Amino acid sequence: MQLLRRARLAFGLIGVLVANAAFASEIDIPFTEFTLDNGLRVVVHEDNKAPIVAVNIWYHVGSKNEKPGKTGFAHLFEHLMFNGSENYNDEFFGPFDRVGATAQNGTTWLDRTNYFQNVPSTAVDLALWMESDRMGHMLGAVTQERLDEQRGVVQNEKRQGDNQPYGKVYEVIQKNMFPEGHPYQWETIGSMADLNAASLEDVQEWFKAYYGPNNAVLVLAGDISVEEAREKAELYFGDIPPGPPVTKFDVWAPKMKEHSRASMQDRVPAARIFKTWVGPEWGSEDADMLAIASNILSSGKTSRLYQRLVYTDQTATQVDASPIFFEIAGFLGVDATAQPGGSLEPIEAAIDEELARFLKDGPTEKEVERAVTQIRASMIRGLEQVGGFSGKAQLLARNATYAGDPGFYKVSLERMDAATPEKVVEAARRWYGAGTFTLEVEPFPELTANAEGADRSNGPPMPDSFPEVDFDSFERGFLSNGVELLVVNRPSVPVVQFNTLFDAGYAADTFGKLGTSNLVMTMLDEGTKKRSSLEISEELQMLGANLGTNANVDLSSVSLNALKENLDDSLDIYADIILNPQFPEGELERLRKLVTAGIQAEKNSPYQLAIRIVPQLIYGDGHAYKMPLTGSGTEESVATITRDDLVNFHQTWFRPNNATMVIVGDTTLAEIQPKLENLFRRWDAADVPQKNLDAVEPNTEERVYIVNRPDAEQSMIISANIVPPTNNPDEFALQAMNDVLGGSFSARVNMNLREEKSWAYGAYTFVLGGAGPRPFIGYAPVQTDKTAPSMAELRKEFTSIIGDRPPEPDELQRAMDESTLSLPGQWETASAVSNSLVQMVRYGYEDDYWDEYPERVRGLTLREVSDAAKEYVNPDGLIWVVVGDREKIEEEVRSLEFGPVTLLDENGNPVDAE
């Protein structure tokens, strides 16, 4: 259950959409709305492009409905909703794993709690039965044991969040922004003391008060008709009695009359400043105008605060000024991170100066136009998904819950049609606070429940068939200089996505200095022969195009997402960046500081610190993968990288005979090949070095390494060993085995450490992808006093799967179902199809790999999966890396006798035991 408690202020713009006049009429999500007699509002959007249905239910209750002394309860109850209901008294995810559900989760925030999943169209009955069973038949399944279990899980989630850099910031911000009695004064996750105080009676009262159908909105989006949706909603939900009237909060955005300051200390790599103000409520016109203002202030390289702090002054490594708008008030904020060792004083002064200038003079017409275009492009891309965290179902549910109208987003669009610099600056000047609290009581409408509903005596209705889905057909072609093209035509949205892949990645750093590949990709768009960095950024923004550079251990990639209407101009910039980067000396020095700051931040994140260290413990000298898995290099290596190093890397690896271009969207090979030939024809081929991806002998001695993190809230446990490259004959069995052991929520490791013992918020195993031999990782962030017991439990799970508890038929069936039945939802978007093609390129799969994938997975036998466990789990050769408070964990860890125990510093170097 993902909880959005750690959202930066940039996470918001919820329900705030921007458009130009032409765009406002283009954006339309057709829906039909009806209300059952018991008060449940149902919204239906039919979209038949894929045989899936998004089932999304929003309850109008969040942490603002709590009372002081009982904080965190809304989120705790969300966890309990996944633990079983009266007619299905088991883990909620179980039946969904068997039908290939995707995008499945639940979240809680200040104003609402939601639950959602995408299911094959034949499994809608299952989803509605399950959702209605926990709405109408929940309390009998909630026991003291389950309450205690989930209380522990939530407390470990809180510890996990608090253990991150800047993890306790928003607890302080909310407490200081809002006055006593305001329901936004505490974090959604609550306090440890309040979580401990939650009782079984509290659970029952919360459910009765807020989880009635009259306090909920159900959205069905996808391959379903209105008639079918109405019939099923009545069947499954119509007999659930309504709950009592719910007190509704009016807008309360109290102005802070005085400036106040506070300071705190945390284990972070650099100082960061947060400046916050109370803002307007969600759905207000001022919220729409402030969305534009925030974009102008901090979105992209041409934004005012980025220009001043990161580019010109170079006092900060990042800056953000995005707002979040909640139901009764909002957050306006600016946060910026200082260069390592830098002072916050000049940063704060610069923020104040830039904000004062903005409030005095306002934005330019061009700035408003650019902001509109950026959010317009983002909106178009978002229309591709029916469900998940940000699809059409979420948009309709949010607007129905907060505004009472699923189509309220159009009001926002219409306001934006009329946006002017004057309106934007007037809203910015108004905020930094106004509001009051008024309570009105209105008659409660007469609501009734149907006499009968769905049959619940035999458990949830499992579908007896599933929609088949084929991987998109693709065309293959070549440019005259050898660039390979893979093209998928997807005309449903007027967007084309490009991803140019180079067989380089972090592994190519073994021919030079660690971190070179990362710095090359970071600097690729910092200027070309024809364009400066700022010109590139501004041109892309005006075209509504997104350009990205990325790398993993095997590949370096340059991506472009372009609107079809601006394709030629966008491609001209794209080719210029790939072919003609200049790596300006001045930009190198600036970005070197940012990369170094990033390395220091990695060392302050327990997980990233661990995976920086793991490769040097499992790979031999000279192997291409023996480097920090983050790819950022080391502070020492980055300090020595010169412009010549970057130029040489680019000239060596960025060659047409070493490149594959994956293209998905509103185009064809016949259309796009001539355009690309014209842009790239003068690009010459050359020999490319061969990376050392030789096999690695499995470790035969178990060893333990402890990295001291004094006063850590948790211990991060990582176990690792080596398995073959991704493209190997046993890969399907290996992945199925991992799914059984620790690859999903319902797998053994998580059920043990989270659900049974409540020692961790989540514990998993995963196999990293790689063209060469890869790490097989166990992962468990656990409460400090359970460090050694958790290691023992992990090892027990590793040992039992190759011994007395091999994979069982039901576990294998669940793993096969998850891998195959999820494909209709998995390939919903162009980016998902592109990612599958990227995997084909990275791992050298045959063209029919994804066509044969379902059959090969379904053909697995228990013997094959059990043999894979015996071959690759290797508990006697595990490398353990534990990041935690040495003083509290070392003695118990040593007592496990897992092998020699070595103390390491943050760079992975041994340190004296004293």
Side-chain angles (χ1 to χ4, degrees):
M1 280 54 66
Q2 177 161 325
L3 176 67
L4 305 181
R5 72 174 286 235
R6 299 296 169 189
R8 297 167 48 79
L9 294 182
F11 199 89
L13 302 194
I14 297 176
V16 177
L17 306 170
V18 185
N20 59 24
F23 182 55
S25 61
E26 293 173 8
I27 300 302
D28 184 38
I29 307 174
F31 66 87
T32 300
E33 181 185 11
F34 53 88
T35 302
L36 304 187
D37 290 342
N38 60 7
L40 178 68
R41 301 181 64 192
V42 184
V43 181
V44 185
H45 164 66
E46 187 170 0
D47 181 346
N48 307 117
K49 75 172 183 294
I52 59 173
V53 177
V55 178
N56 194 317
I57 188 162
W58 278 48
Y59 293 92
H60 202 165
V61 57
S63 57
K64 84 166 181 288
N65 299 90
E66 299 163 349
K67 299 177 181 178
K70 293 185 181 294
T71 64
F73 197 74
H75 173 239
L76 175 60
F77 190 82
E78 177 225 310
H79 275 248
L80 289 167
M81 288 281 279
F82 285 91
N83 269 198
S85 51
E86 293 168 1
N87 300 289
Y88 182 79
N89 198 6
D90 204 345
E91 291 290 337
F92 186 81
F93 291 110
F96 291 95
D97 291 343
R98 305 302 294 267
V99 300
T102 58
Q104 184 180 11
N105 217 316
T107 75
T108 310
W109 217 354
L110 303 184
D111 305 306
R112 67 12 174 212
T113 305
N114 63 2
Y115 305 89
F116 51 91
Q117 54 269 313
N118 292 356
V119 295
S121 52
T122 54
V124 174
D125 287 283
L126 164 66
L128 295 180
W129 191 100
M130 293 290 286
E131 287 289 3
S132 63
D133 205 61
R134 58 181 178 179
M135 176 190 282
H137 307 272
M138 176 74 182
L139 286 185
V142 179
T143 63
Q144 186 65 49
E145 180 183 9
R146 282 186 174 166
L147 173 59
D148 293 341
E149 169 197 294
Q150 290 305 311
R151 187 202 324 270
V153 170
V154 170
Q155 287 176 329
N156 273 304
E157 181 181 357
K158 179 173 172 59
R159 292 187 186 100
Q160 184 169 324
D162 289 346
N163 201 38
Q164 299 304 311
Y166 314 104
K168 299 179 181 179
V169 164
Y170 284 97
E171 180 180 354
V172 176
I173 287 177
Q174 287 180 241
K175 189 175 295 184
N176 283 274
M177 278 183 66
F178 294 101
E180 289 293 331
H182 197 285
Y184 290 169
Q185 231 212 1
W186 52 86
E187 279 194 299
T188 298
I189 200 158
S191 72
M192 286 292 192
D194 290 356
L195 289 169
N196 280 328
S199 69
L200 201 56
E201 181 181 2
D202 292 329
V203 171
Q204 295 168 344
E205 293 306 315
W206 188 267
F207 178 79
K208 294 174 184 176
Y210 296 112
Y211 272 75
N214 49 301
N215 197 41
V217 172
L218 170 67
V219 176
L220 300 174
D223 190 20
I224 188 170
S225 68
V226 175
E227 293 75 18
E228 183 183 6
R230 187 187 301 271
E231 177 185 345
K232 293 182 185 300
E234 284 281 2
L235 174 64
Y236 292 109
F237 292 90
D239 65 328
I240 301 173
V246 176
T247 299
K248 304 295 184 183
F249 289 83
D250 204 347
V251 172
W252 186 12
K255 185 177 181 180
M256 293 187 291
K257 299 184 184 302
E258 298 178 354
H259 297 299
S260 60
R261 302 185 74 93
S263 62
M264 60 181 289
Q265 293 180 326
D266 195 2
R267 292 184 176 276
V268 295
R272 180 179 293 178
I273 188 170
F274 296 79
K275 295 177 73 69
T276 59
W277 299 261
V278 174
E281 76 280 7
W282 181 96
S284 63
E285 183 170 5
D286 273 3
D288 293 330
M289 297 302 105
L290 289 168
I292 297 177
S294 69
N295 185 288
I296 293 167
L297 286 171
S298 71
S299 180
K301 293 179 181 178
T302 58
S303 65
R304 295 190 179 196
L305 290 175
Y306 185 95
Q307 275 281 293
R308 174 68 184 274
L309 295 170
V310 181
Y311 196 83
T312 302
D313 294 354
Q314 298 187 22
T315 54
T317 60
Q318 65 80 221
V319 61
D320 180 74
S322 299
I324 309 179
F325 302 116
F326 293 108
E327 189 174 18
I328 65 173
F331 292 67
L332 299 176
V334 178
D335 65 85
T337 305
Q339 293 278 1
S343 168
L344 293 176
E345 187 175 342
I347 293 176
E348 183 175 10
I351 291 172
D352 292 343
E353 289 173 12
E354 291 300 321
L355 188 57
R357 184 165 68 89
F358 184 82
L359 295 179
K360 178 178 179 292
D361 301 331
T364 64
E365 291 277 2
K366 187 175 184 180
E367 285 177 318
V368 173
E369 179 186 354
R370 185 171 63 227
V372 166
T373 302
Q374 285 183 270
I375 305 178
R376 172 179 184 261
S378 176
M379 177 60 174
I380 291 176
R381 295 180 181 104
L383 295 178
E384 191 176 12
Q385 300 182 71
V386 295
F389 282 100
S390 59
K392 289 186 279 188
Q394 285 278 54
L395 178 63
L396 294 171
R398 179 184 302 117
N399 281 266
T401 300
Y402 293 158
D405 174 13
F408 181 79
Y409 66 90
K410 289 194 172 183
V411 175
S412 186
L413 290 173
E414 290 166 2
R415 291 172 182 160
M416 291 302 189
D417 288 346
T420 63
E422 291 74 24
K423 288 185 177 181
V424 172
V425 76
E426 285 170 6
R429 289 168 182 163
R430 247 187 316 273
W431 286 95
Y432 314 104
T436 187
F437 173 73
T438 302
L439 177 63
E440 294 184 3
V441 180
E442 296 181 357
F444 185 62
E446 285 294 326
L447 299 172
T448 61
N450 296 347
E452 296 181 359
D455 180 10
R456 303 185 184 276
S457 60
N458 297 313
M462 300 299 290
D464 54 13
S465 65
F466 297 93
E468 294 292 332
V469 62
D470 295 323
F471 186 66
D472 293 58
S473 60
F474 59 91
E475 302 175 277
R476 187 185 295 273
F478 291 87
L479 301 185
S480 59
N481 56 10
V483 178
E484 186 171 12
L485 308 179
L486 301 179
V487 183
V488 174
N489 176 233
R490 277 205 159 199
S492 60
V493 177
V495 172
V496 185
Q497 181 163 318
F498 300 80
N499 201 348
T500 304
L501 312 171
F502 298 93
D503 186 2
Y506 307 148
D509 285 351
T510 52
F511 294 92
K513 300 168 184 176
L514 294 183
T516 301
S517 60
N518 176 63
L519 200 48
V520 165
M521 303 314 293
T522 302
M523 289 197 64
L524 206 66
D525 62 349
E526 291 295 332
T528 68
K529 294 177 181 178
K530 295 194 299 183
R531 298 173 172 93
S532 70
S533 172
L534 297 181
E535 287 171 338
I536 291 171
S537 180
E538 183 164 1
E539 285 185 49
L540 289 171
Q541 288 175 337
M542 296 302 293
L543 294 168
N546 290 339
L547 184 134
T549 59
N550 195 20
N552 57 42
V553 70
D554 295 315
L555 298 176
S556 302
S557 62
V558 189
S559 63
L560 173 72
N561 191 291
L563 301 180
K564 183 66 179 284
E565 64 198 67
N566 298 328
L567 183 59
D568 290 345
D569 290 339
S570 300
L571 278 176
D572 184 72
I573 302 172
Y574 186 54
D576 191 27
I577 289 169
I578 291 174
L579 299 176
N580 305 308
Q582 290 300 288
F583 308 110
E585 196 75 55
E587 296 301 298
L588 171 59
E589 292 309 313
R590 179 177 66 86
L591 291 170
R592 191 200 311 277
K593 296 176 184 177
L594 298 185
V595 172
T596 302
I599 293 172
Q600 294 171 354
E602 290 170 6
K603 292 180 180 180
N604 277 273
S605 167
Y607 173 69
Q608 289 185 312
L609 173 59
I611 65 169
R612 286 182 62 84
I613 292 172
V614 162
Q616 67 192 63
L617 304 175
I618 60 177
Y619 290 104
D621 290 340
H623 198 281
Y625 289 175
K626 187 176 183 180
M627 68 185 73
L629 282 176
T630 58
S632 54
T634 67
E635 290 150 299
E636 294 76 18
S637 65
V638 170
T640 67
I641 294 174
T642 65
R643 180 182 180 276
D644 287 343
D645 294 325
L646 306 182
V647 171
N648 290 338
F649 185 99
H650 180 262
Q651 291 179 347
T652 300
W653 299 97
F654 277 51
R655 291 294 179 177
N657 52 306
N658 195 43
T660 301
M661 192 176 295
V662 174
I663 305 159
V664 181
D666 190 11
T667 191
T668 63
L669 179 64
E671 177 188 32
I672 202 66
Q673 190 171 16
K675 296 178 184 291
L676 297 174
E677 179 69 33
N678 182 56
L679 290 166
F680 290 99
R681 66 180 184 275
R682 294 187 178 88
W683 191 15
D684 296 329
D687 291 337
V688 176
Q690 294 298 306
K691 295 172 286 189
N692 175 14
L693 301 179
D694 293 344
V696 176
E697 290 296 322
N699 189 50
T700 57
E701 179 189 19
E702 196 169 11
R703 289 174 283 163
V704 180
Y705 298 88
I706 296 176
V707 182
N708 187 27
R709 186 178 169 89
D711 302 319
E713 300 277 347
Q714 284 185 317
S715 294
M716 173 61 67
I717 301 171
I718 297 290
S719 66
N721 65 307
I722 293 286
V723 297
T726 299
N727 193 352
N728 76 87
D730 295 333
E731 184 66 14
F732 289 92
L734 172 59
Q735 291 294 346
M737 180 278 296
N738 180 64
D739 287 342
V740 171
L741 178 61
S744 70
F745 183 92
S746 303
R748 295 180 180 184
V749 167
N750 193 56
M751 297 305 288
N752 182 338
L753 292 182
R754 171 184 164 126
E755 296 299 294
E756 294 175 17
K757 296 186 173 60
S758 304
W759 293 349
Y761 175 58
Y764 298 93
T765 62
F766 49 91
V767 187
L768 297 179
R774 314 159 283 160
F776 179 23
I777 301 288
Y779 159 89
V782 301
Q783 60 195 69
T784 298
D785 63 337
K786 300 300 182 184
T787 303
S790 297
M791 293 173 67
E793 289 297 320
L794 281 170
R795 199 182 194 287
K796 183 185 78 173
E797 296 293 351
F798 298 153
T799 303
S800 66
I801 200 169
I802 65 174
D804 59 4
R805 193 186 168 202
E808 299 171 359
D810 188 65
E811 290 178 312
L812 175 56
Q813 188 62 51
R814 187 193 74 226
M816 292 192 294
D817 290 343
E818 286 185 47
S819 297
T820 58
L821 300 181
S822 62
L823 293 177
Q826 186 173 310
W827 288 329
E828 179 190 8
T829 65
S831 62
V833 173
S834 177
N835 288 338
S836 292
L837 287 172
V838 169
Q839 290 183 54
M840 289 181 59
V841 175
R842 180 180 180 185
Y843 304 131
Y845 294 150
E846 297 295 330
D847 283 3
D848 61 358
Y849 175 85
W850 290 114
D851 294 325
E852 294 187 354
Y853 178 86
E855 184 177 350
R856 293 185 66 181
V857 172
R858 293 183 187 123
L860 287 170
T861 66
L862 275 174
R863 177 65 179 272
E864 290 172 323
V865 178
S866 182
D867 287 347
K870 294 173 183 177
E871 179 71 20
Y872 300 119
V873 173
N874 190 24
D876 294 329
L878 286 175
I879 299 298
W880 297 87
V881 176
V882 185
V883 181
D885 190 330
R886 173 193 170 192
E887 184 177 328
K888 297 176 182 177
I889 66 175
E890 181 180 2
E891 184 177 349
E892 275 197 278
V893 170
R894 288 185 182 275
S895 70
L896 294 171
E897 298 184 348
F898 278 5
V901 177
T902 304
L903 305 178
L904 302 178
D905 64 17
E906 62 181 13
N907 298 310
N909 300 316
V911 297
D912 194 307
E914 297 301 320

